[in-house]
Amino acid sequence: MEESGLIFRCFASGSSGNCYYLGTRQRGILIDAGISARSIQKYLREMGLDFTNIMGVLVTHDHADHIRAVGTLGERVKLPIYTTAEIHEGIDRNYGVREKLRTSRRYFNKGEEWQLFDMTINTFGIEHDSTDCLGYCIDCFGQRFVLMTDCGSVNDEMEEYIRTANHLVIEANHDEHMLLNGPYPTYLKERILSPRGHQSNDVCGKLLRRNWHPDLRNVWLCHLSLENNDPQVAFDTVASHLAEIEIIPGQDIFLKALERTSPSPTYELNDKIIETENQ
């Protein structure tokens, strides 16, 4: 990846689909593929890229909103699909993946470091009610990018990786008051609030407050619920926790709640705090 610096773009983030690009303006990877292959191709082309520029798809877990397009990308587009054997087994069982993976499966062991071109990849466990769930830590060009989504409860590894991240994508799924007083049936509220459910804005804010460090420059809040959250509510909740340690978004850190169904700008990842959102 010697051609240019590291960039990040979110294509979608939420219960209707998740997909992220990390790489350069010449080649990179996708993390999850929970939206249509056609939409992914469209968003890549907006960046001057195509599937030929993608080195592989890294999968966090086997829920449909993270793997909807992996069959198409793996077997028709011929992209390698990377995850653990356990998650691959879960993908096999998921009815939402119409094209089953055969030739495109690639395996790694959770917790073991591995290389993909210029990227050094580490993974860690996250509690969620899927077959298994992974967080990703990716080192490239002296930058550390960490993604953790669908976090039912906080664990030590999550905290450790936040303390070393330069750029962080982290779940802020719901506002607890909105969830408890919202339209969801009781069983679904209990599932979301369970230790294997989803992380609230408040828990996310406390997690960042405990583990903030000067080299953590950019934070994106991901997997926001449509019914039980709002981007401004998520931002304000997390920002209020950071303010308790005198960290101000826009001054000491970049903080942004990602849109659920619209792609984000393309962000340059370097030693600076992001100041604008222009592509």
Side-chain angles (χ1 to χ4, degrees):
M1 289 192 187
E2 66 283 0
E3 303 95 337
S4 64
L6 196 63
I7 62 173
F8 164 69
R9 191 183 190 200
C10 171
F11 294 162
S13 178
S15 57
S16 56
N18 298 269
C19 186
Y20 308 91
Y21 175 86
L22 181 70
T24 68
R25 295 190 182 276
Q26 289 75 35
R27 65 182 183 183
I29 59 169
L30 300 176
I31 303 177
D32 287 338
I35 58 176
S36 72
R38 182 174 296 180
S39 293
I40 294 171
Q41 185 176 50
K42 174 186 175 183
Y43 299 146
L44 287 172
R45 285 177 173 170
E46 291 173 358
M47 301 166 67
L49 302 171
D50 209 329
F51 287 132
T52 57
N53 304 102
I54 301 300
M55 301 181 293
V57 181
L58 279 56
V59 177
T60 61
H61 64 289
D62 59 328
H63 283 171
D65 57 321
H66 296 259
I67 61 170
R68 190 168 287 114
V70 293
T72 300
L73 296 183
E75 298 306 313
R76 298 188 188 182
V77 182
K78 306 300 183 185
L79 297 181
I81 309 297
Y82 293 93
T83 195
T84 63
E86 189 173 11
I87 294 174
H88 268 304
E89 290 172 5
I91 293 172
D92 278 347
R93 295 190 296 267
N94 192 301
Y95 66 89
V97 180
R98 296 181 181 180
E99 182 120 23
K100 298 304 179 184
L101 299 177
R102 300 180 301 277
T103 62
S104 57
R105 297 185 195 209
R106 302 292 186 275
Y107 299 93
F108 59 80
N109 295 319
K110 179 170 60 178
E112 291 186 4
E113 184 173 285
W114 56 287
Q115 294 284 140
L116 184 60
F117 293 86
D118 292 331
M119 293 182 172
T120 300
I121 300 171
N122 282 279
T123 54
F124 52 97
I126 289 176
E127 289 296 321
H128 191 52
D129 58 358
S130 52
T131 303
D132 196 7
C133 190
L134 303 173
Y136 282 93
C137 173
I138 301 172
D139 293 302
C140 188
F141 298 155
Q143 302 298 317
R144 172 161 284 193
F145 175 91
V146 176
L147 183 144
M148 48 184 74
T149 186
D150 295 60
C151 312
S153 54
V154 175
N155 62 45
D156 290 343
E157 284 186 300
M158 290 170 60
E159 304 218 30
E160 289 170 8
Y161 277 107
I162 292 172
R163 289 196 292 269
T164 63
N166 305 127
H167 317 283
L168 175 67
V169 178
I170 184 170
E171 182 177 51
N173 175 258
H174 60 276
D175 174 85
E176 194 164 327
H177 177 79
M178 290 175 68
L179 173 64
L180 291 173
N181 293 279
Y184 278 13
T186 299
Y187 81 89
L188 188 51
K189 292 178 182 180
E190 290 176 347
R191 178 208 164 224
I192 292 168
L193 293 169
S194 78
R196 302 191 72 209
H198 288 277
Q199 182 165 270
S200 70
N201 300 335
D202 190 56
V203 171
C204 177
K206 290 175 180 176
L207 186 56
L208 290 173
R209 184 185 67 200
R210 283 198 305 274
N211 296 286
W212 180 85
H213 58 96
D215 291 328
L216 178 58
R217 295 183 283 274
N218 304 301
V219 175
W220 294 269
L221 308 178
C222 72
H223 215 292
L224 274 67
S225 169
L226 175 63
E227 296 83 1
N228 305 306
N229 210 351
D230 175 85
Q232 192 63 53
V233 170
F235 179 95
D236 289 345
T237 301
V238 172
S240 69
H241 282 288
L242 291 172
E244 293 181 18
I245 55 171
E246 300 183 341
I247 301 303
I248 308 302
Q251 177 179 309
D252 305 301
I253 198 169
F254 173 83
L255 179 67
K256 172 70 175 177
L258 294 168
E259 296 290 338
R260 298 177 71 256
T261 58
S262 302
S264 74
T266 299
Y267 298 99
E268 302 279 349
L269 304 186
N270 50 45
D271 293 333
K272 298 179 181 178
I273 295 170
I274 293 168
E275 295 180 357
T276 69
E277 295 196 348
N278 296 326
Q279 287 182 264

